[in-house]
Amino acid sequence: MIKKLFFEIGGYFSDHHKIEIKGNKGLYNKTSSGPYFLNPEEFEIDSEKMEQLIQILNVIDVWSWEREYFNSEVMDGTHWQLEIVLLDGKRVKSEGSNKYPGSEGIEFSDKFLKLIRAFELIGRIKISEI
């Protein structure tokens, strides 16, 4: 079970998305005007979806992600942050700018796409919106 999850992603000229989960309750927010979140949408995650989410986190081995992924050759672009704490004590805190776990370029890696698809699973972020 997730004790706490925080994920935010956005770019200089693109939408910003933020998900916060505590237990089985969550908040999702999207804005097109920079990182100013005004109208959070509340949601609940049933036990089956929670189990699937945690399974995906384990498959992509999010627990071994590095603390930072930064591409110093790109000034404007996509920035992201992720923090997860499970009730069993597993945790990760990772962030990046124009670089992702498992990718050397500025493209989303397979692992990162699977993370976003995990959030699609709970009915929030859409890959096509990022």
Side-chain angles (χ1 to χ4, degrees), residues 37-52:
F37 299 99
L38 302 174
N39 298 308
E41 173 190 335
E42 294 181 12
F43 63 94
E44 288 191 28
I45 307 171
D46 64 37
S47 59
E48 182 181 328
K49 297 268 190 223
M50 180 67 72
E51 207 172 287
Q52 290 175 323

Side-chain angles (χ1 to χ4, degrees), residues 93-110:
K93 191 171 187 177
S94 189
E95 64 182 307
S97 179
N98 306 302
K99 191 172 178 183
Y100 310 91
S103 176
E104 292 304 315
I106 61 170
E107 304 82 23
F108 290 163
S109 65
D110 287 341

Side-chain angles (χ1 to χ4, degrees), residues 2-130:
I2 292 175
K3 181 176 181 180
K4 170 184 156 184
L5 181 146
F6 175 85
F7 178 72
E8 185 174 345
I9 188 167
Y12 190 65
F13 288 110
S14 65
D15 294 342
H16 288 250
H17 303 265
K18 181 166 66 171
I19 291 179
E20 295 178 79
I21 298 172
K22 289 184 181 177
N24 69 336
K25 305 227 183 266
L27 290 173
Y28 168 73
N29 214 326
K30 173 185 170 186
T31 182
S32 298
S33 59
Y36 305 106
F37 299 99
L38 302 174
N39 298 308
E41 173 190 335
E42 294 181 12
F43 63 94
E44 288 191 28
I45 307 171
D46 64 37
S47 59
E48 182 181 328
K49 297 268 190 223
M50 180 67 72
E51 207 172 287
Q52 290 175 323
L53 176 59
I54 292 171
Q55 183 178 5
I56 292 168
L57 296 174
N58 288 330
V59 166
I60 64 174
D61 196 19
V62 72
W63 318 111
S64 68
W65 286 12
E66 295 175 22
R67 175 74 174 99
E68 298 179 336
Y69 295 88
F70 286 99
N71 181 339
S72 60
E73 296 177 10
V74 181
M75 298 307 288
D76 297 327
T78 304
H79 308 280
W80 60 274
Q81 295 178 332
L82 174 68
E83 182 176 4
I84 305 170
V85 179
L86 298 185
L87 288 176
D88 68 6
K90 275 187 175 178
R91 61 181 58 230
V92 65
K93 191 171 187 177
S94 189
E95 64 182 307
S97 179
N98 306 302
K99 191 172 178 183
Y100 310 91
S103 176
E104 292 304 315
I106 61 170
E107 304 82 23
F108 290 163
S109 65
D110 287 341
K111 287 182 177 188
F112 201 79
L113 285 172
K114 286 178 182 176
L115 175 69
I116 294 172
R117 286 190 182 108
F119 296 135
E120 284 185 328
L121 173 75
I122 59 174
R124 298 304 172 266
I125 292 179
K126 302 275 189 256
I127 293 173
S128 62
E129 295 178 351
I130 297 176

